[in-house]
Amino acid sequence: MGRGSSGHRTAPPTPRDALLGRVGRLWREAVKFGAVGGAGLLVNLLVFNLVRHVTDLQVVRASVIATVVSIVFNYVGFRYFTYRDRDKSGRTKELTLFLLFSVVGLVIENGVLYLATYGFGWDSPLQSNVFKFLGIGIATLFRFWSYRTWVFRALPAREAVADAESFLHAEAQAKRPRPTRVSR
């Protein structure tokens, strides 16, 4: 057992502690992803409405422009805030995968808007914003999964060491003989 900063012995992490640590890391990642994504959502909707009201472009074309602007904004936010501690080697591959998955997200997001606008005729400014927002939400689920799985990969050594340490501590804890009580 190690000693903490107060000099007292600290118990080794249990499998439960390891699970809580992983959940905590995932939670922090989701919060950071949400912060960048929320700012990207605002950029997306602001650019969409600005382009829609300043130009004569059709709704879906204005939406595609807004989505592209938000993709650039989000890449910078994800790389330098949300996933700044992730593997930085292979930036060309990272950027290529980011753009590939972003284009899939763009198709999902604008497909919802296209279907609402041209499939159902829901094209008032309010309806367009509602379906733009809905499309962004559906695409965000895909983007979160794909970015964390394929684009901004965790450094293998850090994850492997953390998993191995928690496994070894749990094994050592399980093999340690338990003190028995002697009754008088």
Side-chain angles (χ1 to χ4, degrees):
M1 281 194 221
R3 293 190 182 271
S5 60
S6 65
H8 297 286
R9 289 190 181 260
T10 58
T14 63
R16 182 174 178 262
D17 293 336
L19 176 63
L20 289 175
R22 289 184 117 182
V23 169
R25 284 191 303 272
L26 181 62
W27 174 251
R28 285 187 296 279
E29 179 183 338
V31 168
K32 287 180 179 181
F33 186 91
V36 171
L41 170 72
L42 291 176
V43 167
N44 196 331
L45 291 174
L46 287 171
V47 171
F48 171 63
N49 284 293
L50 182 67
V51 170
R52 183 133 190 253
H53 289 47
V54 173
T55 68
D56 291 332
L57 287 176
Q58 296 172 342
V59 173
V60 176
R61 288 185 183 167
S63 178
V64 169
I65 291 169
T67 304
V68 169
V69 170
S70 70
I71 285 170
V72 172
F73 176 88
N74 286 343
Y75 178 77
V76 172
F78 291 143
R79 166 45 49 215
Y80 297 103
F81 178 66
T82 305
Y83 298 113
R84 70 176 173 249
D85 61 335
R86 299 292 176 99
D87 187 8
K88 292 177 179 72
S89 64
R91 285 282 174 98
T92 303
K93 181 181 176 186
E94 173 186 283
L95 189 55
T96 302
L97 287 171
F98 181 83
L99 291 175
L100 173 73
F101 290 120
S102 293
V103 167
V104 173
L106 180 143
V107 170
I108 292 168
E109 174 183 329
N110 292 292
V112 170
L113 182 61
Y114 182 89
L115 182 64
T117 303
Y118 300 109
F120 296 102
W122 297 327
D123 61 355
S124 74
L126 177 62
Q127 290 168 328
S128 294
N129 278 288
V130 166
F131 287 102
K132 171 88 172 147
F133 186 79
L134 179 64
I136 290 170
I138 295 168
T140 296
L141 296 174
F142 169 77
R143 287 177 179 132
F144 179 72
W145 170 80
S146 63
Y147 293 165
R148 80 178 307 272
T149 304
W150 299 103
V151 180
F152 301 107
R153 299 182 65 135
L155 291 171
R158 183 179 298 170
E159 293 265 333
V161 168
D163 289 344
E165 284 178 344
S166 36
F167 174 77
L168 290 174
H169 286 298
E171 285 294 313
Q173 190 78 3
K175 290 180 180 177
R176 186 171 295 148
R178 306 263 184 226
T180 57
R181 289 188 175 195
V182 178
S183 49
R184 294 183 186 220

